[in-house]
Amino acid sequence: MSSYRALYRKWRPMRFSDVVGQKQVSDTLKTAVATNRIAHAYLFCGTRGTGKTSTAKIFSRAVNCENPIDGEPCNECPTCRGILNGSIPDVYEMDAASNRSVEDMTALLERAMYAPTEGRYKVYMIDEVHMLSTTAFNAMLK
């Protein structure tokens, strides 16, 4: 059995300031959080290894953090800790490569109808969205 672990599994940035090579993106997101000017949707795109998922996870904590520090999540409050350990249902990560049907999108849209329970915002991260079927993508757009 191999002991190899991908770098992103060993070390995932916990704050925007830890993200390497994406200063302009980190600064923009930090400013949005600090000024409370959060858009309804964000699209993170780029090649593999550029920090899309890591940045989205940091952003999900930052917008819901009880004590943000200059737009950065504190990673200490109950909300941040709950998001980190996956116990807060308001932050949902979906792998679209595995969940690519219309039924999966319908279930996701049904979850989105309800107000957040523990955080300020509901956050849906759809990883590998390009893998959705055409009908699932159209269902999501509706």
Side-chain angles (χ1 to χ4, degrees):
M1 183 160 147
S2 174
S3 64
Y4 172 77
R5 272 187 14 187
L7 181 61
Y8 73 90
R9 294 216 187 263
K10 288 182 193 175
W11 185 82
R12 186 176 292 272
M14 298 296 288
R15 302 170 51 85
F16 288 121
S17 57
D18 296 338
V19 177
V20 178
Q22 299 295 337
K23 183 171 174 22
Q24 72 283 9
V25 174
S26 295
D27 288 348
T28 301
L29 295 173
K30 280 176 24 178
T31 301
V33 173
T35 60
N36 200 28
R37 298 186 67 174
I38 311 297
H40 76 284
Y42 289 86
L43 178 65
F44 296 88
C45 59
T47 57
R48 181 196 301 179
T50 55
K52 299 176 297 291
T53 302
S54 295
T55 302
K57 288 180 181 229
I58 295 166
F59 189 63
S60 72
R61 289 193 309 277
V63 298
N64 285 302
C65 183
E66 296 169 20
N67 311 304
I69 305 156
D70 295 326
E72 295 268 12
C74 71
N75 294 323
E76 299 296 325
C77 68
T79 305
C80 284
R81 281 186 275 135
I83 293 171
L84 283 168
N85 68 30
S87 66
I88 299 224
D90 297 332
V91 176
Y92 181 73
E93 185 176 1
M94 179 182 141
D95 177 26
S98 304
N99 304 295
R100 52 190 311 254
S101 69
V102 173
E103 292 79 21
D104 294 322
M105 284 300 107
T106 304
L108 180 74
L109 294 171
E110 286 174 4
R111 288 178 61 137
M113 283 192 263
Y114 301 104
T117 57
E118 297 183 44
R120 290 188 337 204
Y121 295 95
K122 287 188 108 171
V123 178
Y124 292 92
M125 293 177 279
I126 306 174
D127 205 4
E128 304 292 336
V129 75
H130 65 279
M131 296 296 290
L132 288 175
S133 68
T134 303
T135 52
F137 197 80
N138 286 334
M140 184 181 69
L141 290 176
K142 288 183 182 178

